[in-house]
Amino acid sequence: METISQTAFARPVHDALDGDSFATLLGKWARRLGDEVAVTFLDYRTSPDGRAVSLTWRELDDRVSAVAAHLGTLAAPGERAAVLATQSADYVVAFLGALRAGLVAVPLFAPNLPGHAGRLAATLTDCAPQVVLTTADLTGEVGGFLATHDVDAALVAVDTLPPVTGEHEWHRPAPDEPAYLQYTSGSTRSPAGVVLTHHNVLSNARQCCAAYGAESGTTSTISWLPLFHDMGLILGIGAPMFGGLTSVLMDPLAFLERPGRWLRALSASPGGISAAPNFAYAYSASRVTDDEKSYLELSRVVSLINGSEPVLPATIAKFQAAFGECGLRPEVHRASYGLAEATVLVSVTDAGTPSRQVTFDRGRLAEGFAVPAPSGTTLVSCGRPVDQRIRIVDPNGEPVADGEVGEIRVSGPNVGQGYWGRPEASTFRNGWLATGDLGVWFEGELYMTGRLKDLVIVDGRNHYPQDIEQTVEAHPAVRPHSAAAFAIPHDEGEVAVVVLEQAKNSDGEVAVGELRAAVSAEHGLRLHDVVVLSPGEVPRTSSGKISRALCRKSYLDGRWAR
């Protein structure tokens, strides 16, 4: 099967033009929009009410020029500039300043992000930056980290640079020049930097603006996603620079502390467009109080993108039930599929209609065939590809028939060029990106079923981990959105393990027998081990998602040995 999106998306004013970048487009919007607000950061670190720190298009353009001018004295076009800063308007300045100077930006994070020091050190070793961009309050900490890990790079605090005077000729990149490296664990054990050209990222920003209904002057993006993540960067910086949209940002921790802050920002922003992983919608529905809801007006929301992990029907229903009274319309929910190797967006459901849901026979789905049934596994459609192509292929790379499960492969102008310094990587093949994700094309839409590397295969039978996790989390002794199911090697072959957090005021150990019985009855699967942890102990990613890979590693390392 091969398909091209049949939805006719209107194209915005700009296309991926020669010599353009997010930084050059910033200059165009600065001349056109001037004193209108370009970016606002809601700072909950210094104010409980979220002090708004805003930059107009002209102010942002001036500050980006100041960074670019200084970088021109430190590095040559094509060298790497790593951004080690916290979520802020300064992060936007640093990233765009690197692009304007013709450097290859590497969006990363400050060393104070808990549990990620090793990953940061490995990433810096891999990309070998000539310069590191940060802010004045972090120079001591960042400088110490660079020295400790023998990173020889100039350190620049972007919030201390003087304004530029006079006229300057900024670098105008060729479309195939790298714009930035998007680091992702991908299918590798160590961080790998996806090489994304200016053509790649401008193309995907155009695709996002068109698919999500973004228009300059009438829509704005609202995001708590980390700016060093693929979706966080395109939603918070890329799409706004391409489409002339106002960007409203907050720190991920501000969302996790009080998810109502995200919805308050959506409520205050006309024509809001936002995105989050599936867990964030369920988390918001559970944690936002009735008092907080009384301040929400969500009827003007344009699109809420749900992606980066399996979209659960129960989550969509729970979120809509919680906030329908605040004016939220069901059709703004947009299930999506994407990955860093394709910049971010690959497919999304149509605007104006609720995402389609289909229940498939669980046994047949595990065998590789999507067969509708009255009960089983319900999947939410990820829609159709946006100005790109999708293939579903078998293990030999041959296209399969509609209704058959296989690996998702993608081809389009947004697909990256491979991994930095790893020409041997086989993810990019003959113009097609092998995603490592499993999916099925059913009645004209894409349904993602899981990841190849996460598939639990026991006694020759396939089990999707999210199905096992949903069964486990249905027990009242298990904390919602806390379970991780994975397979490990054993003398008797691959065996299944579940790690979970017990709910407050409950004893998860007492429920282990019931959980084993439920998984056995529902999936025909015997669990080798069930590990019960306290709330907050299951490893998560920097955006709050459960990390099966980290759970598996911790288990094999004996971290939870009893």
Side-chain angles (χ1 to χ4, degrees):
M1 184 283 302
E2 179 174 332
T3 185
I4 300 176
S5 173
Q6 300 303 308
T7 303
F9 289 118
R11 292 176 179 249
V13 175
H14 300 295
D15 206 335
L17 304 175
D18 287 358
D20 263 336
S21 70
F22 290 148
T24 63
L25 293 178
L26 164 63
K28 295 177 182 179
W29 290 118
R31 292 188 292 274
R32 177 175 170 180
L33 300 178
D35 294 328
E36 295 183 25
V37 173
V39 59
T40 294
F41 177 67
L42 302 177
D43 186 0
Y44 288 97
R45 294 190 290 261
T46 60
S47 169
D49 297 323
R51 181 174 65 94
V53 179
S54 297
L55 293 174
T56 66
W57 287 98
R58 185 174 291 111
E59 289 170 337
L60 178 60
D61 188 57
D62 288 343
R63 289 202 53 198
V64 166
S65 291
V67 173
H70 187 67
L71 291 180
T73 68
L74 300 173
E79 293 183 317
R80 273 76 59 211
V83 182
L84 273 63
T86 55
Q87 195 100 330
S88 61
D90 290 321
Y91 197 111
V92 179
V93 170
F95 178 80
L96 293 173
L99 296 190
R100 181 163 286 178
L103 305 186
V104 180
V106 187
L108 297 174
F109 44 87
N112 57 13
L113 187 67
H116 290 77
R119 177 170 179 252
L120 179 59
T123 301
L124 291 171
T125 297
D126 188 71
C127 70
Q130 182 73 14
V131 63
V132 170
L133 304 176
T134 188
T135 50
D137 59 323
L138 290 174
T139 51
E141 185 173 358
V142 172
F145 187 88
L146 298 180
T148 299
H149 295 280
D150 296 322
V151 179
D152 183 18
L155 184 60
V156 176
V158 298
D159 53 342
T160 63
L161 299 176
V164 173
T165 57
E167 295 293 326
H168 282 263
E169 287 292 330
W170 304 116
H171 182 77
R172 295 190 64 83
D176 60 353
E177 285 184 25
Y180 58 90
L181 306 182
Q182 183 66 65
Y183 271 84
T184 172
S185 57
S187 59
T188 62
R189 291 176 178 265
S190 58
V194 181
V195 180
L196 297 171
T197 67
H198 290 282
H199 180 69
N200 293 151
V201 301
L202 287 170
S203 295
N204 206 231
R206 172 180 58 77
Q207 292 162 343
C208 288
C209 286
Y212 300 156
E215 296 181 7
S216 179
T218 62
T219 50
S220 53
T221 64
I222 297 90
S223 180
W224 54 266
L225 298 173
L227 289 170
F228 55 85
H229 280 190
D230 50 4
M231 189 67 211
L233 195 151
I234 290 296
L235 181 67
I237 302 179
M241 291 305 108
F242 188 90
L245 317 175
T246 299
S247 174
V248 179
L249 304 170
M250 66 177 64
D251 191 273
L253 184 59
F255 164 77
L256 292 172
E257 288 175 341
R258 286 183 56 187
R261 292 166 171 168
W262 174 41
L263 299 170
R264 285 286 292 269
L266 268 170
S267 184
S269 304
I273 296 172
S274 194
N278 185 81
F279 89 88
Y281 291 96
Y283 182 66
S284 299
S286 300
R287 295 289 298 273
V288 176
T289 66
D290 289 338
D291 182 60
E292 288 178 296
K293 290 179 186 178
S294 67
Y295 294 95
L296 300 180
E297 167 46 59
L298 300 176
S299 64
R300 298 179 299 174
V301 173
V302 172
S303 291
L304 287 178
I305 314 306
N306 189 332
S308 81
E309 60 184 10
V311 179
L312 303 181
T315 299
I316 296 175
K318 185 176 182 180
F319 190 83
Q320 182 59 40
F323 301 107
E325 63 187 78
C326 305
L328 186 69
R329 294 168 289 124
E331 61 268 24
V332 305
H333 296 275
R334 310 282 301 281
S336 180
Y337 167 72
L339 67 167
E341 286 81 355
T343 307
V344 63
L345 174 67
V346 172
S347 72
V348 67
T349 53
D350 294 343
T353 58
S355 300
R356 187 182 177 199
Q357 302 178 13
V358 180
T359 299
F360 298 104
D361 181 277
R362 179 170 291 153
R364 294 290 284 153
L365 196 63
E367 294 170 356
F369 299 94
V371 179
S375 62
T377 299
T378 301
L379 300 180
V380 178
S381 167
C382 294
R384 295 191 288 270
V386 183
D387 191 23
Q388 50 198 292
R389 295 183 292 167
I390 284 178
R391 280 180 180 170
I392 308 295
V393 303
D394 64 17
N396 296 318
E398 295 299 320
V400 301
D402 291 6
E404 289 188 32
V405 177
E407 184 184 18
I408 302 171
R409 294 196 176 177
V410 179
S411 178
N414 50 299
V415 172
Q417 308 305 299
Y419 297 112
W420 177 258
R422 303 185 189 191
E424 76 286 354
S426 59
T427 304
F428 304 82
R429 303 165 184 162
N430 301 320
W432 287 89
L433 167 65
T435 67
D437 293 323
L438 293 169
V440 60
W441 190 257
F442 182 79
E443 295 185 350
E445 296 185 75
L446 174 69
Y447 292 78
M448 183 185 175
T449 61
R451 286 194 59 77
L452 275 168
K453 68 177 183 180
D454 287 343
L455 203 61
V456 176
I457 307 174
V458 177
D459 297 330
R461 293 185 60 206
N462 295 338
H463 302 272
Y464 290 106
Q466 62 267 26
D467 290 343
I468 302 169
E469 291 157 3
Q470 288 180 57
T471 297
V472 169
E473 291 174 356
H475 196 287
V478 180
R479 189 182 183 203
H481 320 297
S482 73
F486 50 90
I488 62 167
H490 194 266
D491 293 342
E492 57 193 78
E494 293 280 297
V495 293
V497 173
V498 167
V499 175
L500 60 89
E501 294 174 358
Q502 64 185 12
K504 292 182 179 178
N505 303 318
S506 67
D507 188 342
E509 294 289 354
V510 173
V512 166
E514 296 176 359
L515 293 172
R516 288 182 180 275
V519 171
S520 177
E522 189 73 18
H523 306 281
L525 175 67
R526 182 177 68 86
L527 294 178
H528 172 73
D529 198 4
V530 178
V531 179
V532 179
L533 302 174
S534 299
E537 291 188 346
V538 171
R540 288 170 167 79
T541 67
S542 53
S543 60
K545 297 183 295 181
I546 297 293
S547 173
R548 295 190 190 106
L550 288 176
C551 287
R552 185 177 186 274
K553 182 179 185 302
S554 295
Y555 185 89
L556 292 173
D557 289 345
R559 176 178 171 185
W560 301 311
R562 291 165 292 181

